[in-house]
Amino acid sequence: MKNIFAISAFVLGSALLTSGAQAAPMPGTATSKLVAPQLGIYRSPLGFEVGAGKSGWVHGSAPANNKFIATLYHAPKKDKNAKSEGASLTVRVDKLEKEVALDKYIQKWMKEYPKYGFDVLNSRAFTENKQKGYFLDLINKDSGKQLRQVVFLKQKTAVILTCRDKQANFKETLKNCNQIVRTFNWN
């Protein structure tokens, strides 16, 4: 009888190992399907989340050489052999020394953009998913790049979603970026 149980346990264990089970030790941890890149959802330990939504964009890992970028999304490549980067959206986290109002935070940055070669085309406050935010449309005529930055601020943390692409493609890119921005939620 002991042998039957031992054989059953061995067969059951083997079946589990070969079944491709992909459970994580805890839901929401790095190996959990809840944060799988193919689902396009990023859940921050700071309490906010953002997803690819209906954009069709791909969720990628944050660049290892930039500690401020939490995650990123990029447009699927139309040409697999393309050398240049296409449209992308980065999610940056900015830790502040003290609490500041959203409009004051934005005013500080609006003074800085010209130093980096950007002209501000448009800026406006808005509300999305009960979160107050602020967007800025920027262009760098020298590089031909256009950006939309969307800023959410809670206590001493700012989250900046930056959508970028070539100016010629930006109108179409912006539709997809807005799909991603609409998923932003901060508990």
Side-chain angles (χ1 to χ4, degrees):
M1 190 70 160
K2 272 186 186 178
N3 288 339
I4 292 174
F5 287 124
I7 292 170
S8 296
F10 174 76
V11 170
L12 179 61
S14 297
L16 286 174
L17 288 174
T18 59
S19 70
Q22 297 179 356
M26 300 269 302
T29 61
T31 56
S32 170
K33 286 197 172 217
L34 288 174
V35 294
Q38 61 270 28
L39 296 178
I41 299 171
Y42 172 75
R43 289 183 175 87
S44 168
L46 299 171
F48 70 86
E49 70 180 34
V50 64
K54 297 178 182 179
S55 69
W57 284 26
V58 179
H59 181 214
S61 300
N65 61 347
N66 190 328
K67 66 180 182 175
F68 298 106
I69 303 294
T71 195
L72 62 86
Y73 294 86
H74 59 86
K77 287 187 177 181
K78 294 176 186 171
D79 179 6
K80 293 180 182 179
N81 297 324
K83 292 181 182 178
S84 64
E85 291 184 33
S88 66
L89 182 142
T90 56
V91 180
R92 175 187 164 100
V93 175
D94 190 7
K95 300 276 189 164
L96 310 175
E97 291 180 20
K98 61 181 180 177
E99 286 189 39
V100 63
L102 179 59
D103 60 335
K104 299 288 184 200
Y105 181 79
I106 296 298
Q107 287 174 8
K108 173 189 154 207
W109 279 104
M110 285 188 59
K111 294 175 187 173
E112 297 293 318
Y113 290 122
K115 294 179 188 176
Y116 299 106
F118 287 97
D119 294 328
V120 178
L121 301 173
N122 192 11
S123 64
R124 183 168 48 102
F126 70 96
T127 301
E128 185 68 49
N129 295 327
K130 299 181 184 176
Q131 305 292 317
K132 291 184 179 185
Y134 208 98
F135 80 82
L136 299 114
D137 289 328
L138 309 160
I139 191 165
N140 185 312
K141 292 177 184 172
D142 294 335
S143 69
K145 296 277 185 181
Q146 192 164 345
L147 284 72
R148 170 165 283 182
Q149 286 197 317
V150 178
V151 181
F152 296 98
L153 186 64
K154 186 173 184 180
Q155 297 167 345
K156 294 183 189 178
T157 305
V159 178
I160 303 104
L161 287 73
T162 303
C163 180
R164 64 181 52 81
D165 199 359
K166 296 175 188 169
Q167 183 181 0
N169 305 335
F170 197 73
K171 187 174 182 180
E172 188 62 32
T173 296
L174 188 56
K175 293 175 188 176
N176 292 314
C177 287
N178 286 339
Q179 289 289 328
I180 296 170
V181 170
R182 285 185 189 106
T183 70
F184 184 88
N185 189 17
W186 207 332
N187 297 326

